[in-house]
């Protein structure tokens, strides 16, 4: 018959078994249950401790009690270590479970970034503004629906002046007293600025203009101009030429130069047409310019004996066309994504 186990043997077995159970616990809840089973009121170690009363020898009982306490501490310490490891695992699992997948969001953000681009004319306008602001100019705007006075009369074109036919005008209202038109150029904003801003004036005025024209490669019925106006003391034609040359290089690049050809506009005297020379040697007309006519200075409320100035008006659509090597202006208004995507 096998001899009965001693309390020490029982304790050693309970300790080894307890440590194995702690190590095998796969969750903090399971670990708690294991610990209660070992060290709780009905736990195996407590049962061993209760059985100590049967040990007669006082010293032996004390030593055994000591061993039980040590075993309890060992189990508790082992459970703290295991608990830490389990909690770390459970936390990692929770993070994994609650993880939000942002890939779709990032992809849709990318898609929306791809969706829009600034129109070539808007890009050109902003660049023109940057260049002229860099040269010390301020930006002004005027209405697209204009009275006959601002679009023609104040610009030295009284009623029935033959030069009015230079612009194929779209009328909103037409009567003998004075018509309302879709502005045919940005020059009326010159008058508005002269009336509002005390000189010296260094202004640019970009905007949309309208003419009764059939679209072709270089003409649109709705297009954009940028007007320039400088009013100061002692301004000469050399200032105009110098400004246009600086602008040409800043906007198109060092390979481009400008030239002025004599021309006629009722609101400037002398007047010129402004062309730029491409690096390949060919020329393209971009706008008109000249010294502000005394009648126009007076219409703007300025004394021609005190102030002089120059003005220019460039076609922005043609500039955008030149800058990006677009062959036909109509392509810029086709709303074809395959076209616009080329110019991000
Ligand atoms: C004028 O409109 C004058 N107001 C310019 C000016 C301002 C002269 C200040 C003197 C002082 P013009 O009609 O030439 O000028 O038009 C100027 C520029 O607008 C043209 O050189 C061209 O680049 C552009 N342009 C004219 N018509 C069209 C059109 N139908 N489509 C696209 N661009 C055009």
């Amino acid at each position: 018959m096998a001899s009965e186990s001693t309390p020490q043997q029982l304790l050693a077995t309970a300790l080894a078994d307890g440590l194995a159970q702690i190590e095998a616990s796969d969750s903090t809840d399971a670990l708690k249950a294991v610990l209660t089973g070992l060290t709780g009121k009905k736990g195996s170690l407590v049962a061993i401790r209760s059985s100590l009363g049967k040990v007669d020898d006082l010293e032996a009982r004390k030593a055994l009690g000591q061993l039980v306490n040590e075993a309890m501490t060992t189990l508790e310490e082992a459970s703290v270590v295991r608990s830490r490891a389990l909690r770390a695992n459970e936390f990692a699992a929770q993070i994994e479970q609650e993880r939000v997948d942002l890939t779709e969001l990032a992809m849709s953000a990318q898609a929306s970034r791809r969706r829009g681009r600034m129109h070539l004319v808007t890009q050109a306008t902003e660049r023109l503004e940057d260049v002229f602001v860099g040269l010390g100019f301020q930006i002004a705007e005027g209405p697209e629906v204009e009275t006959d006075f601002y679009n023609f009369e104040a610009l030295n074109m009284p009623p029935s002046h033959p030069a009015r036919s230079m612009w194929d005008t779209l009328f909103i209202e037409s009567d003998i007293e004075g018509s309302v038109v879709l502005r045919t150029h940005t020059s009326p904003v010159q008058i508005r600025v002269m009336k509002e801003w005390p000189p010296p004036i260094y202004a640019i005025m970009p905007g949309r203009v309208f003419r009764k024209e059939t679209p072709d490669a270089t003409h649109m019925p709705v297009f954009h101009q940028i007007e320039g106006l400088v009013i100061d003391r002692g301004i000469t034609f050399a200032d105009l030429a110098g400004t246009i040359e600086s602008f040409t290089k800043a906007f198109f690049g060092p390979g481009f130069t400008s030239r002025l050809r004599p021309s006629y506009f009722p609101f400037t005297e002398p007047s010129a047409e402004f062309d730029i020379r491409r690096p390949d040697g060919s020329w393209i007309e971009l706008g008109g310019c000249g010294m502000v006519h005394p009648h126009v200075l007076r219409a703007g409320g300025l004394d021609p004996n005190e102030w002089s100035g120059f003005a220019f008006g460039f076609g922005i659509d043609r500039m955008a066309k030149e800058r990006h090597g677009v062959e036909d202006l109509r392509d810029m208004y086709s709303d074809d994504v395959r076209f616009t995507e080329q110019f991000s």
Side-chain angles (χ1 to χ4, degrees):
M1 194 174 133
S3 63
E4 218 173 287
S5 302
T6 64
Q8 283 90 339
Q9 282 170 333
L10 283 175
L11 187 61
T13 311
L15 182 61
D17 184 44
L19 287 172
Q21 283 186 51
I22 288 172
E23 204 46 46
S25 316
D26 57 2
S27 70
T28 44
D29 286 342
L31 178 65
K32 256 187 223 155
V34 165
L35 202 61
T36 313
L38 294 168
T39 61
K41 276 185 194 151
K42 292 177 188 163
S44 47
L45 287 183
V46 178
I48 295 173
R49 196 196 320 239
S50 312
S51 69
L52 288 181
K54 290 181 202 152
V55 179
D56 297 331
D57 182 79
L58 184 65
E59 283 309 307
R61 200 160 64 215
K62 260 191 186 170
L64 212 51
Q66 181 78 20
L67 280 179
V68 172
N69 286 345
E70 280 171 17
M72 288 253 193
T73 312
T74 307
L75 288 173
E76 269 157 17
E77 281 173 2
S79 83
V80 169
V81 172
R82 181 67 188 147
S83 164
R84 259 192 223 132
L86 285 172
R87 258 189 283 134
N89 285 349
E90 283 168 6
F91 187 54
Q94 189 184 356
I95 287 180
E96 181 59 29
Q97 195 190 354
E98 292 176 4
R99 192 163 65 96
V100 180
D101 186 354
L102 297 175
T103 325
E104 207 176 311
L105 209 68
M107 277 168 67
S108 71
Q110 206 175 11
S112 68
R113 258 209 310 281
R114 239 186 272 126
R115 212 177 296 145
R117 277 191 167 74
M118 276 204 293
H119 193 276
L120 283 191
V121 170
T122 312
Q123 290 182 31
T125 307
E126 290 195 354
R127 232 186 97 75
L128 285 162
E129 288 176 358
D130 283 350
V131 168
F132 278 110
V133 166
L135 293 171
F137 284 69
Q138 285 178 288
I139 302 170
E141 278 182 356
E144 292 178 349
V145 177
E146 227 1 321
T147 58
D148 180 280
F149 174 79
Y150 284 102
N151 198 76
F152 292 120
E153 201 164 339
L155 292 168
N156 199 26
M157 285 176 277
S160 75
H161 191 289
R164 285 180 173 224
S165 61
M166 285 167 73
W167 294 277
D168 293 304
T169 311
L170 289 156
F171 290 88
I172 300 277
E173 275 173 35
S174 178
D175 61 42
I176 303 148
E177 291 300 310
S179 317
V180 177
V181 301
L182 287 177
R183 67 177 176 192
T184 57
H185 50 176
T186 43
S187 298
V189 195
Q190 284 186 36
I191 307 294
R192 293 184 177 273
V193 167
M194 279 188 244
K195 281 182 157 187
E196 273 173 40
W197 295 7
I201 296 168
Y202 290 78
I204 48 156
M205 302 144 253
R208 196 154 56 146
V209 302
F210 309 83
R211 292 184 194 176
K212 204 166 67 187
E213 282 196 71
T214 309
D216 65 25
T218 52
H219 293 85
M220 294 297 289
V222 180
F223 60 102
H224 302 78
Q225 289 187 335
I226 185 162
E227 194 81 8
L229 177 68
V230 168
I231 304 284
D232 208 334
R233 291 190 170 88
I235 295 288
T236 69
F237 202 90
D239 298 313
L240 167 60
T243 304
I244 285 188
E245 181 65 13
S246 316
F247 155 76
T248 303
K249 296 238 176 329
F251 186 79
F252 292 101
F256 287 75
T257 49
S258 64
R259 83 174 167 200
L260 297 176
R261 274 181 296 116
S263 184
Y264 171 75
F265 293 99
F267 31 90
T268 45
E269 179 60 36
S271 301
E273 213 86 59
F274 154 58
D275 303 330
I276 58 159
R277 185 170 168 274
R278 302 181 179 105
D280 70 2
S282 58
W283 294 89
I284 173 154
E285 175 208 311
L286 284 186
C289 58
M291 301 305 289
V292 180
H293 196 288
H295 287 178
V296 176
L297 288 171
R298 276 193 211 98
L302 300 175
D303 179 357
N305 295 318
E306 189 180 356
W307 301 103
S308 61
F310 64 78
F312 55 80
F314 306 155
I316 300 179
D317 310 67
R318 287 198 193 166
M319 289 200 183
K321 174 180 175 298
E322 272 317 298
R323 207 157 168 262
H324 296 285
V326 175
E327 286 188 358
D328 193 316
L329 273 189
R330 289 167 293 190
D331 287 340
M332 299 206 297
Y333 294 96
S334 63
D335 283 346
D336 187 334
V337 188
R338 289 166 302 176
F339 174 81
T340 46
E341 268 183 355
Q342 298 173 59
F343 311 97
S344 56

